[in-house]
C-alpha cells in the first residue's frame, strides 16, 4: 500500500466534505459566528496532534538524544515552527489557534465555549473526562475524543495519519471553498484576520505542509504493510469524524434558522 492507494480509498469521504451542504448555509454574519464557534475546536485539537508528533519524532526531553530519523525530525519541526509561531497579519508571532481566536473576536464570534472547555481541561487534567462532561454537541465531543484516543494510543504513524489525511491534506481545498463563500456573502464586512488565517493555511498546506506530511507518512511506514493498513484505517476514521463535525455545524445553523 502507498499514499496514492490511501488517497483513492478516502476520495469518497473527501468529496462528501468538499461538497457538504454546510458551506451554502453560511449566509450571514450570525451563520459565520456559529461556524467559527464550532470549528475552533478542530483548530485547537489540531495543535495537540502536532505536538504529539513532535514529542514522538523529536527529542523534547533532557538529556537530549538524537532521534532515529533525521528526515521526520526535520519535517515535524518545520511544521511546528509555522503552526505554533507564524507571523500574524500585523507582523506578530502567534500560533494559528491564537490567530483564529483573534479573528473570532474581530467579527463578534463568542469564544466563551472554547475558553470554558480549555479551563475545564486545565482544571481536571484529564482530557477524556473534560470531553465527556462538556455540554458540547455529541459530534464535537466524538471528534475530540477520537483525536485524543489516537494520541493516547501513541503510534506515530497513526497520529501522523490523523494529522495528514484528516487535516493537512484536506485543509487547502476545504478552506478555499469556505473562503470563497465568505468573500461572496460578506463583501462589506472586515474579515481581514479571518481571511488572512485561511489564506495562510492554503499557502502553507498546499505548498509546504501537505507535501511534508505525506513525506512523513512514507518515512514512518516504509515497507511495513501493517502500518500502512493502520494509516488507512485512521485516515478513514478521521474523515468520518470531520464529516460528523460538519453535520453538527449544519444542524446548528438549521436550528437557528428554524427559531428565527
Amino acid at each position: 500500500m502507498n499514499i496514492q492507494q490511501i488517497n483513492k480509498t478516502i476520495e469518497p469521504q473527501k468529496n462528501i466534505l468538499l461538497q457538504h451542504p454546510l458551506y451554502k448555509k453560511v449566509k450571514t454574519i450570525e451563520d459565520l459566528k456559529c461556524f467559527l464557534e464550532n470549528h475552533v475546536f478542530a483548530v485547537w485539537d489540531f495543535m495537540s496532534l502536532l505536538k504529539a508528533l513532535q514529542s514522538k519524532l523529536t527529542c523534547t526531553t533532557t538529556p537530549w538524544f538524537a532521534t532515529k530519523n533525521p528526515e521526520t525530525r526535520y519535517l515535524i519541526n518545520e511544521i511546528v515552527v509555522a503552526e505554533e509561531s507564524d507571523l500574524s497579519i500585523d507582523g506578530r508571532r502567534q500560533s494559528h489557534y491564537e490567530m483564529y481566536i483573534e479573528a473570532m473576536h474581530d467579527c463578534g464570534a463568542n469564544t466563551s465555549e472554547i475558553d470554558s472547555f480549555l479551563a475545564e481541561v486545565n482544571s481536571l487534567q484529564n482530557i477524556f473526562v473534560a470531553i465527556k462532561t462538556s455540554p458540547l454537541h455529541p459530534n464535537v465531543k466524538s471528534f475530540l475524543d477520537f483525536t485524543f484516543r489516537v494520541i493516547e494510543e501513541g503510534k506515530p504513524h497513526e497520529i501522523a495519519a490523523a494529522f495528514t489525511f484528516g487535516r493537512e491534506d484536506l485543509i487547502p481545498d476545504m478552506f478555499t471553498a469556505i473562503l470563497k463563500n465568505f468573500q461572496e456573502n460578506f463583501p462589506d464586512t472586515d474579515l481581514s484576520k479571518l481571511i488572512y488565517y485561511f489564506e495562510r493555511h492554503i499557502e502553507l498546506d498546499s505548498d509546504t505542509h501537505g507535501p511534508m506530511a505525506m513525506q512523513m507518512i512514507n518515512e514512518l511506514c516504509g515497507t511495513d504493510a501493517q502500518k500502512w493498513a493502520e494509516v488507512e484505517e485512521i485516515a478513514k476514521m478521521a474523515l468520518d469524524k470531520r464529516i460528523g463535525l460538519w453535520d453538527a455545524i449544519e444542524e446548528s445553523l438549521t436550528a437557528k434558522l428554524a427559531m428565527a
Side-chain angles (χ1 to χ4, degrees), residues 191-252:
L191 298 171
S192 56
K193 287 185 179 179
L194 188 61
I195 290 171
Y196 176 84
Y197 170 86
F198 286 162
E199 289 181 337
R200 190 71 181 127
H201 257 288
I202 292 166
E203 177 186 353
L204 286 172
D205 294 339
S206 296
D207 299 338
T208 309
H209 292 180
M212 278 185 167
M214 291 299 181
Q215 186 179 340
M216 178 169 58
I217 293 284
N218 278 320
E219 292 282 343
L220 289 171
C221 292
T223 58
D224 190 321
Q226 179 63 32
K227 286 184 178 180
W228 280 110
E230 290 172 348
V231 163
E232 181 182 52
E233 184 62 25
I234 291 295
K236 290 189 290 187
M237 291 174 68
L239 289 174
D240 281 342
K241 297 301 180 183
R242 172 70 77 160
I243 292 168
L245 177 63
W246 261 210
D247 290 344
I249 302 175
E250 184 193 7
E251 183 183 312
S252 297

Side-chain angles (χ1 to χ4, degrees), residues 11-236:
E11 187 174 359
Q13 290 162 295
K14 290 176 72 172
N15 286 335
I16 289 172
L17 281 165
L18 294 173
Q19 297 166 19
H20 200 285
L22 165 66
Y23 305 124
K24 293 182 179 178
K25 293 190 176 180
V26 182
K27 296 179 178 179
T28 68
I29 287 295
E30 291 305 312
D31 295 338
L32 172 59
K33 292 176 185 178
C34 180
F35 172 85
L36 298 175
E37 288 161 12
N38 286 277
H39 179 244
V40 67
F41 287 91
V43 177
W44 172 73
D45 84 333
F46 171 81
M47 297 302 296
S48 292
L49 282 171
L50 177 61
K51 298 305 285 186
L53 282 171
Q54 187 181 34
S55 176
K56 296 290 181 182
L57 303 178
T58 76
C59 183
T60 58
T61 57
T62 56
W64 179 87
F65 293 96
T67 49
K68 182 179 178 181
N69 193 319
E71 280 298 316
T72 55
R73 186 195 313 158
Y74 168 77
L75 291 170
I76 199 63
N77 279 333
E78 280 291 299
I79 296 173
V80 166
V81 168
E83 295 287 347
E84 198 171 35
S85 51
D86 201 4
L87 282 175
S88 68
I89 192 170
D90 52 5
R92 291 173 294 132
R93 289 289 174 188
Q94 284 187 313
S95 68
H96 285 191
Y97 171 76
E98 290 164 316
M99 286 184 194
Y100 199 88
I101 290 292
E102 281 199 1
M104 288 179 69
H105 288 155
D106 266 21
C107 70
N110 192 339
T111 63
S112 62
E113 197 166 43
I114 182 70
D115 292 340
S116 296
F117 176 74
L118 295 189
E120 191 70 0
V121 171
N122 191 45
S123 172
L124 292 172
Q125 292 294 301
N126 187 315
I127 183 64
F128 299 107
V129 173
I131 293 168
K132 186 176 181 179
T133 58
S134 76
L136 300 173
H137 188 288
N139 288 17
V140 179
K141 292 166 78 165
S142 180
F143 181 89
L144 292 170
D145 187 77
F146 168 75
T147 294
F148 287 96
R149 295 288 172 192
V150 172
I151 290 171
E152 185 181 50
E153 186 70 21
K155 294 181 179 179
H157 61 284
E158 291 188 350
I159 300 171
F163 178 88
T164 301
F165 296 102
R167 309 300 180 90
E168 287 292 344
D169 183 46
L170 189 66
I171 282 171
D173 287 336
M174 185 175 66
F175 275 23
T176 300
I178 295 172
L179 181 56
K180 286 180 179 177
N181 190 52
F182 289 165
Q183 288 175 323
E184 288 171 6
N185 288 298
F186 315 121
D188 300 322
T189 304
D190 182 11
L191 298 171
S192 56
K193 287 185 179 179
L194 188 61
I195 290 171
Y196 176 84
Y197 170 86
F198 286 162
E199 289 181 337
R200 190 71 181 127
H201 257 288
I202 292 166
E203 177 186 353
L204 286 172
D205 294 339
S206 296
D207 299 338
T208 309
H209 292 180
M212 278 185 167
M214 291 299 181
Q215 186 179 340
M216 178 169 58
I217 293 284
N218 278 320
E219 292 282 343
L220 289 171
C221 292
T223 58
D224 190 321
Q226 179 63 32
K227 286 184 178 180
W228 280 110
E230 290 172 348
V231 163
E232 181 182 52
E233 184 62 25
I234 291 295
K236 290 189 290 187

Side-chain angles (χ1 to χ4, degrees), residues 3-11 14 165 169 214:
I3 294 290
Q4 289 72 27
Q5 289 171 303
I6 292 175
N7 277 328
K8 186 174 181 180
T9 299
I10 63 177
E11 187 174 359
K14 290 176 72 172
F165 296 102
D169 183 46
M214 291 299 181

